[in-house]
Amino acid sequence: MPVKSLQIPTADGQADAFAAFPDGGGRHPGVLLYMDAFGLRPVLRDMARELAEHGYYVLVPNLFYRHGQAPVIDLPEHIGKEVRSTVFAQVMPLIETHTVERVLGDADAYLGFLTAQPEVSAGPVAVIGYCMGANAAMRTAADHPDQVAAVAGFHPSRLVTDAPDSPHRLVSKLTAEVHLGLAENDMTPEAVSELGQALDAAGVRYACEIYPGTVHGFTMADTDAFDPSALRRHWDELLPLLDRTLSR
């Protein structure tokens, strides 16, 4: 699968990104993939290539572009327990500056860029995200109901909070079908129930599932959280969602 480096114009500069898409030409449904907190790295390229093999154009922006091009911080090849706290100490200041205002402004730029690519077909797109990216994916889908037909989030962060703009308070704006794959430690039972009640009240078609035996980060093969069976389940849920919601 071809992978090319890109620069996406935004209100605050240029966001570096990469895209993976099928070889052989043609136009393909677009997918915006939001990274987890550790940023752009080989494991995300592999995941984008996997999606591209199924017929999608996958755009993966560096959400931390305001702090520099990826890799914004130095990462080991494997993010194990012995380095996790050190890595998070570098990542948390970046996360804290990635405000809701920035998420939504960047989403406008990312979707505009994605749908303008010559390899991307007309029609709705999907937005998927991991960890902090799942939060951004839900906000993007709620803010662009006319464009986003599917939204998926895996081991998401902070979907239910006390804030007036908590993602679970925005679901009435969704027209997308939703899949959320949670690790066992991602949300309290009360928060899962509150999220489900909000989605039910909004009439959203959704699945919100806890993947048994998992911890936060279970899709990421370069971390100690990785769970191969949970990653397979993630693909088993994600690919049919994209297939039934995106035109070809």
Side-chain angles (χ1 to χ4, degrees):
M1 296 295 106
V3 176
K4 65 179 178 181
S5 298
L6 298 164
Q7 294 288 326
I8 304 173
T10 75
D12 291 332
Q14 298 277 327
D16 54 304
F18 62 81
F21 49 94
D23 205 355
R27 302 178 73 190
H28 313 280
V31 176
L32 175 59
L33 190 157
Y34 283 131
M35 67 191 205
D36 65 345
F38 295 138
L40 300 195
R41 58 198 194 282
V43 69
L44 290 177
R45 288 181 178 267
D46 293 342
M47 295 174 83
R49 284 193 183 100
E50 176 77 18
L51 276 173
E53 287 178 0
H54 291 273
Y56 301 101
Y57 181 104
V58 187
L59 179 66
V60 190
N62 170 21
L63 303 187
F64 297 149
Y65 70 89
R66 293 174 180 85
H67 304 275
Q69 293 205 349
V72 178
I73 65 169
D74 290 330
L75 287 172
E77 289 187 9
H78 184 83
I79 305 166
K81 292 183 178 68
E82 69 282 358
V83 298
R84 191 176 180 87
S85 60
T86 301
V87 171
F88 262 108
Q90 299 175 73
V91 165
M92 285 307 299
L94 308 181
I95 296 173
E96 289 167 0
T97 64
H98 197 58
T99 61
V100 172
E101 181 181 12
R102 286 181 170 181
V103 169
L104 296 181
D106 288 347
D108 293 345
Y110 300 153
L111 288 175
F113 186 89
L114 173 63
T115 56
Q117 297 311 295
E119 301 92 349
V120 175
S121 56
V125 302
V127 185
I128 63 179
Y130 302 85
C131 180
M132 62 174 282
N135 182 303
M138 290 289 284
R139 293 186 184 281
T140 299
D143 207 45
H144 295 269
D146 57 331
Q147 286 184 283
V148 180
V151 58
F154 298 93
H155 41 88
S157 63
R158 299 180 60 80
L159 293 186
V160 178
T161 73
D162 293 332
D165 62 352
S166 171
H168 82 288
R169 303 185 197 280
L170 307 176
V171 297
S172 62
K173 300 179 180 179
L174 291 173
T175 59
E177 183 178 346
V178 177
H179 179 84
L180 297 171
L182 311 180
E184 287 190 344
N185 63 341
D186 278 333
M187 297 170 64
T188 65
E190 294 78 15
V192 173
S193 176
E194 189 170 354
L195 177 59
Q197 290 172 14
L199 289 162
D200 286 335
V204 174
R205 183 179 180 185
Y206 76 97
C208 183
E209 302 174 353
I210 297 172
Y211 289 22
T214 58
V215 296
H216 185 76
F218 59 77
T219 62
M220 297 297 157
D222 61 350
T223 74
D224 280 353
F226 180 54
D227 184 318
S229 63
L231 177 63
R232 287 194 297 272
R233 180 176 175 182
H234 144 281
W235 289 122
D236 289 344
E237 300 287 357
L238 179 58
L239 293 172
L241 171 68
L242 300 181
D243 189 56
R244 64 177 172 261
T245 56
L246 299 187
S247 58
R248 292 185 177 274

